[in-house]
Amino acid sequence: MDFLVDAWNWLLTPAHWAGAGGAGRRLVEHLRLTGISLALACAVALPLALWLGHRGRGGALAVNLSNAGRAVPTFAVLVLFALTPLGRLGDVPTILALVLFAVPPLLTNAYVGMREADRDAVEAARGMGMSGGQVFLGVELPLAFGLIMTGIRSAAVQIVATATLAALAGGGGLGRIITAGFNTYSTPQVVAGALLVAGLALAVEALLAPVQWLLDPVRRSRGAGRRPGPSAKPAAGTAGGAFGNSGNSGNGSNGSNGISNSPSRISGARGAGETSTTRSELDGDLR
Amino acid sequence: MSARSCLAANEWICGEYLRSRSQELVDATVQHVGIALSSVALGLLVALPLALLVRRWRGLAGPVLGLTTVLYTVPSLALFALLMPVFGLSAAVVVTGLALYSLTILVRNLLAGLDAVPAETREAARGMGYGPLRLLLEVELPLALPALMAGVRIATVSSVSLTTVGAIVGHGGLGDLLYAGLDSYFKAQVLTASVLCVVLAVTADVLLLGVQRLLTPWTRTGKPAPAARRRGRGGGPAGGPGGPGHPGGPGGPGTAASGGTGAAAGPVPSVTSAAKAG
């Protein structure tokens, strides 16, 4: 465990934080790359996903994009971009790669969130005479909020991770501390860089969770829902509905595809209920 | 003449490169496959007892799932860097790191699969005189197999893709070629290695889907199967890992439910929806 002590000492040395190649500068670089890329990716993916979800089209595209993204090595894309003429444009190839890998989780989660918005609530809203836009803003969007935020969280963590790899492909960011440490055979520096990167990824994940909870419109309207109001009602009603829905969905996939041929049908929401108490995509609805 | 000039001209696509470096490419591919497969195998080896422990003592669920989630959040370059002082510059760094990622996915899917085994089925087996071990091996694990296989597919595809990052410790299979190609600005090498990586990932996924079909013949008999299979096929290019069980339907994006036959993987947490990229 000596190497952890050495790494800790490395982190506590002020000289390692100062200067052009110092950890402070790298951290700022990393945060800047992450912020720009996340904003760009959201600007591209969310409107598209919300529109597709509202229309109920393009499901195969939205869902499969995540799967395709998994098969393509991030490192390979970063290196490929670095060798194209784009590579001469400073951060452009890095940001482009980061956006590319952040789009799938955003798109898929937001799309599924829109589609999973309780159909009964949507129908009821239509029946109450809401227009397409009103249904979108008043019913579908609040119900999809949990999954949209889950997508943003995944994308943010993804970008932090990918931005680290950018250092391997000649980009900036905290990964540079690690690669520089490897080049100079400085194990304390390698481990210190790794701790910084891991800490940043975990911090992003940990900070976005309470943000999601605070902003969740379903939770907020449920609190206000004690007094019946036109806007609170559908949201509060469907919060339960969304849970029921998701509960089914976990087991529903058993029922409809795989295990349904096994001796008896899957019963109840037990499996879904229990596993989702970890940190599943149902979080937003459950709380 | 013209073939030779494509190397000299540093073109992206170069037949001469494939011919002259075929041995290098084969070696790198073999190393790549070896690292990816052994990491998933190691992950599976640890995930199985871990999932059973969690199932027996529910109190362990929080710590185990929390810890694996934290591990999963750590970017790969950082994880390899943290393992480097322990294992030195060896393939063990990459295999261990990727096994830890696989572990997260596999434990979750295994638990989801086991939890989804109907209580009636368990009761029936017990009533027929099945002991705990036989119940597990002959009833519960087979029924959890689709969920487990969905996890194995995701873990394998992620591992194949992340093995490239092992280039940092000099054991990245095709990633080593990418890394060297970046330094020497060797376009043909970078493109070839990248394409091979994707081909490997897709091939592994399709092969595992085939294995899953062979292992769970009961999912294909009966009436819902044809529809389910069609949906799965229509899914992604070459059946990406975890095609949509139901487009827009159940499970959410985190579902590891593989196309068509995927089951029981609904309540898989959202972490797995992110392509583990860094």
Side-chain angles (χ1 to χ4, degrees):
Chain A
M1 289 291 117
D2 280 350
F3 65 89
L4 284 179
V5 177
D6 291 343
W8 187 247
N9 288 333
W10 190 96
L11 285 174
L12 292 182
T13 308
H16 292 145
W17 286 84
R25 182 73 170 275
R26 294 297 180 208
L27 183 63
V28 172
E29 263 175 18
H30 208 106
L31 289 173
R32 193 177 60 89
L33 283 175
T34 304
I36 294 175
S37 308
L38 187 62
L40 281 175
C42 285
V44 172
L46 289 186
L48 182 64
L50 295 180
W51 183 71
L52 288 175
H54 181 64
R55 296 245 134 196
R57 290 170 192 224
L61 168 85
V63 176
N64 280 303
L65 210 58
S66 292
N67 303 324
R70 203 177 285 128
V72 180
T74 325
F75 182 46
V77 172
L78 284 163
V79 174
L80 278 173
F81 280 169
L83 292 196
T84 57
L86 284 172
R88 282 181 231 118
L89 300 175
D91 284 339
V92 173
T94 307
I95 291 174
L96 200 60
L98 295 182
V99 171
L100 267 184
F101 281 95
V103 163
L106 286 171
L107 197 65
T108 307
N109 279 291
Y111 177 83
V112 174
M114 290 294 284
R115 295 313 300 161
E116 292 233 306
D118 195 335
R119 286 297 108 191
D120 290 346
V122 174
E123 287 307 312
R126 290 233 173 81
M128 286 163 69
M130 283 182 160
S131 68
Q134 283 172 325
V135 170
F136 172 72
L137 285 177
V139 180
E140 289 178 322
L141 203 56
L143 287 178
F145 178 82
L147 272 181
I148 295 173
M149 277 304 294
T150 300
I152 294 178
R153 256 160 69 185
S154 301
V157 172
Q158 172 99 357
I159 288 177
V160 168
T162 313
T164 317
L165 281 184
L168 264 187
L174 286 175
R176 276 296 268 278
I177 300 174
I178 301 177
T179 50
F182 269 105
N183 290 337
T184 54
Y185 303 98
S186 165
T187 305
Q189 184 176 344
V190 168
V191 177
L195 289 176
L196 281 176
V197 169
L200 182 62
L202 290 170
V204 166
E205 170 84 14
L207 284 177
L208 285 177
V211 169
Q212 172 173 359
W213 187 79
L214 279 176
L215 294 179
D216 190 345
V218 173
R219 182 190 64 84
R220 294 205 301 189
S221 70
R222 207 186 300 168
R226 304 256 177 262
R227 53 184 171 79
S231 68
K233 230 177 184 175
T238 47
F243 170 59
N245 227 6
S246 325
N248 289 340
S249 65
N251 297 306
S253 55
N254 301 330
S256 48
N257 318 340
I259 298 185
S260 65
N261 304 316
S262 63
S264 57
R265 270 189 61 84
I266 317 297
S267 66
R270 188 176 166 250
E274 273 182 9
T275 32
S276 60
T277 49
T278 59
R279 207 209 64 199
S280 75
E281 67 273 4
L282 311 179
D283 257 6
D285 293 325
L286 284 171
R287 272 186 227 144
Chain B
M1 182 63 204
S2 65
R4 196 167 285 165
S5 71
C6 83
L7 270 182
N10 196 17
E11 284 169 18
W12 285 104
I13 299 167
C14 183
E16 180 60 20
Y17 168 75
L18 292 179
R19 274 189 291 281
S20 61
R21 311 287 180 98
S22 62
Q23 193 53 46
E24 198 180 279
L25 282 167
V26 169
D27 289 346
T29 308
V30 168
Q31 191 194 34
H32 201 106
V33 172
I35 288 174
L37 288 188
S38 44
S39 66
V40 176
L42 187 62
L44 201 56
L45 219 61
V46 182
L48 200 60
L50 212 55
L52 293 178
L53 275 179
V54 168
R55 215 165 62 108
R56 166 105 352 174
W57 291 288
R58 277 287 161 187
L60 286 177
V64 166
L65 295 179
L67 186 68
T68 49
T69 305
V70 166
L71 278 175
Y72 200 80
T73 310
V74 174
S76 55
L77 189 63
L79 191 59
F80 293 166
L82 285 173
L83 290 169
M84 194 269 289
V86 182
F87 295 105
L89 293 175
S90 67
V93 169
V94 188
V95 172
T96 312
L98 297 181
L100 288 173
Y101 290 143
S102 304
L103 191 64
T104 309
I105 302 169
L106 293 174
V107 167
R108 282 172 190 282
N109 273 33
L110 206 51
L111 277 177
L114 288 174
D115 280 344
V117 173
E120 299 93 325
T121 310
R122 255 186 230 121
E123 282 308 312
R126 275 199 208 102
M128 287 167 71
Y130 278 53
L133 186 67
R134 195 157 162 234
L135 177 70
L136 177 71
L137 291 179
E138 291 181 22
V139 177
E140 292 179 311
L141 279 183
L143 287 180
L145 205 59
L148 176 63
M149 284 302 293
V152 170
R153 286 171 65 199
I154 291 184
T156 307
V157 171
S158 303
S159 292
V160 167
S161 139
L162 283 177
T163 298
T164 52
V165 182
I168 187 76
V169 289
H171 292 87
L174 293 162
D176 292 344
L177 296 184
L178 290 173
Y179 205 26
L182 176 73
D183 275 345
S184 54
Y185 217 77
F186 197 164
K187 289 178 178 170
Q189 178 162 316
V190 168
L191 186 64
T192 311
S194 305
V195 170
L196 275 176
C197 278
V198 176
V199 169
L200 275 184
V202 172
T203 310
D205 192 48
V206 171
L207 284 178
L208 283 171
L209 184 62
V211 170
Q212 181 183 341
R213 292 254 164 91
L214 283 177
L215 287 179
T216 56
W218 62 88
T219 58
R220 276 173 296 160
T221 56
K223 52 184 166 43
R229 221 181 311 160
R230 223 182 312 121
R231 248 183 272 142
R233 288 260 170 79
H246 292 220
T255 52
S258 57
T261 47
V268 171
S270 58
V271 239
T272 48
S273 74
K276 180 71 203 170

